[in-house]
Amino acid sequence: MKVMSSLQQEAYNYIKRLILTNKLDVDVLYSETKLSKELGISRTPMREALQCLSQDGYIDIIPSKGFRIRQLNQKDMQETIQIRCAIEGFCTHCLASNINTPKAQKILRELENTLDLQVKSAQNNCSDGNYEEFIHYDHQFHLLLVKYINNEEVNHIYQRLMYLIKLTSQSALEVEGRVEDTLDEHKRYFDRLKAGDGDAAYRILISHLTMPLNVVKTK
């Protein structure tokens, strides 16, 4: 993984923050030159930052024109879910097969705490259509599984999927009943994992991860 310069990192973080806070419009073609001026940096670090944002799935670069915010399509969603199934499925079996070790027990406690926070978030926010906090805890729940195997390459692959995962989550949660179903699936998964039943936990996980393919409408 290439190390960014300070200016490149500044530009990367600036644009990423604009995207994640919905400050950029998905239908607008944005100018590299204009953003460079806004941030007060030269075009070179801006161009490099945009390349990294493209690689990480946040934008689509239009050669000689600019860039657009990436939108979710069926192919992207399907491929992202397939990768998640492979990674998280493997992590599930690793964790379940070593469930009585101190390392696994620590992850279980963190999963349970995150699940409790997600339940509270659903009660306090989701009825108003605000899913940001709920999605945050949803991501933290799944990231803990990936964290367990302590593999830097897997972490890097997974992090590159995070924006598409966020888009998928947002779209899925707009479907009536999906918040409650998500919590139920997380609880059932956690119970089987805690019992060391890797096969049952895996089946629940795969069903949970692939559910958006049945309910999310993309372009």
Side-chain angles (χ1 to χ4, degrees), residues 48-114:
E48 292 171 345
L50 292 175
Q51 289 293 335
C52 290
L53 285 162
S54 176
Q55 291 171 6
D56 290 350
Y58 289 93
I59 64 173
D60 290 317
I61 294 176
I62 314 299
S64 304
K65 293 183 179 180
F67 70 91
R68 285 194 176 94
I69 307 306
R70 191 166 184 179
Q71 297 186 63
L72 188 67
N73 61 49
Q74 192 70 21
K75 182 175 183 293
D76 285 339
M77 183 171 66
Q78 184 172 14
E79 290 180 352
T80 298
I81 288 171
Q82 288 172 347
I83 295 170
R84 289 188 71 186
C85 286
I87 291 175
E88 294 184 42
F90 175 75
C91 294
T92 294
H93 281 299
C94 288
L95 185 51
S97 63
N98 295 281
I99 203 64
N100 292 319
T101 64
K103 181 180 177 182
Q105 288 296 308
K106 181 176 183 294
I107 291 292
L108 279 180
R109 289 192 296 273
E110 292 175 352
L111 284 168
E112 187 170 30
N113 181 59
T114 302

Side-chain angles (χ1 to χ4, degrees), residues 7-51:
L7 287 177
Q8 184 182 344
Q9 186 71 60
E10 181 183 358
Y12 179 96
N13 290 339
Y14 175 73
I15 299 171
K16 180 179 175 180
R17 186 165 58 252
L18 291 178
I19 294 170
L20 294 179
T21 54
N22 302 313
K23 297 293 177 56
L24 299 182
D25 194 316
V26 295
D27 296 320
V28 173
L29 183 63
Y30 288 94
S31 164
E32 169 192 309
T33 303
K34 184 178 179 181
L35 282 170
S36 296
K37 289 179 179 178
E38 282 183 19
L39 203 52
I41 65 174
S42 67
R43 292 179 62 185
T44 298
M46 178 58 73
R47 187 178 302 115
E48 292 171 345
L50 292 175
Q51 289 293 335

Side-chain angles (χ1 to χ4, degrees), residues 116-134:
D116 287 342
L117 291 170
Q118 192 177 24
V119 170
K120 291 176 183 176
S121 177
Q123 295 169 343
N124 296 333
N125 301 309
C126 291
S127 59
D128 298 327
N130 180 1
Y131 303 117
E132 285 297 320
E133 187 178 76
F134 185 87

Side-chain angles (χ1 to χ4, degrees), residues 84-198:
R84 289 188 71 186
C85 286
I87 291 175
E88 294 184 42
F90 175 75
C91 294
T92 294
H93 281 299
C94 288
L95 185 51
S97 63
N98 295 281
I99 203 64
N100 292 319
T101 64
K103 181 180 177 182
Q105 288 296 308
K106 181 176 183 294
I107 291 292
L108 279 180
R109 289 192 296 273
E110 292 175 352
L111 284 168
E112 187 170 30
N113 181 59
T114 302
L115 184 53
D116 287 342
L117 291 170
Q118 192 177 24
V119 170
K120 291 176 183 176
S121 177
Q123 295 169 343
N124 296 333
N125 301 309
C126 291
S127 59
D128 298 327
N130 180 1
Y131 303 117
E132 285 297 320
E133 187 178 76
F134 185 87
I135 290 173
H136 168 75
Y137 290 124
D138 184 85
H139 289 179
Q140 291 304 309
F141 186 89
H142 289 275
L143 283 167
L144 283 168
L145 302 178
V146 180
K147 172 185 173 182
Y148 174 75
I149 63 171
N150 194 30
N151 185 312
E152 289 186 11
E153 288 299 321
V154 168
N155 287 340
H156 180 54
I157 292 169
Y158 200 89
Q159 286 297 328
R160 287 182 60 184
L161 299 175
M162 287 308 297
Y163 185 57
L164 289 175
I165 291 173
K166 176 182 169 66
L167 294 180
T168 300
S169 298
Q170 286 175 331
S171 299
L173 291 173
E174 291 172 0
V175 176
E176 185 176 356
R178 190 61 202 141
V179 170
E180 293 78 10
D181 288 346
T182 295
L183 290 175
D184 178 64
E185 290 155 15
H186 277 191
K187 289 174 183 177
R188 289 191 292 110
Y189 170 81
F190 177 77
D191 287 344
R192 291 299 85 214
L193 188 64
K194 186 177 181 179
D197 190 346

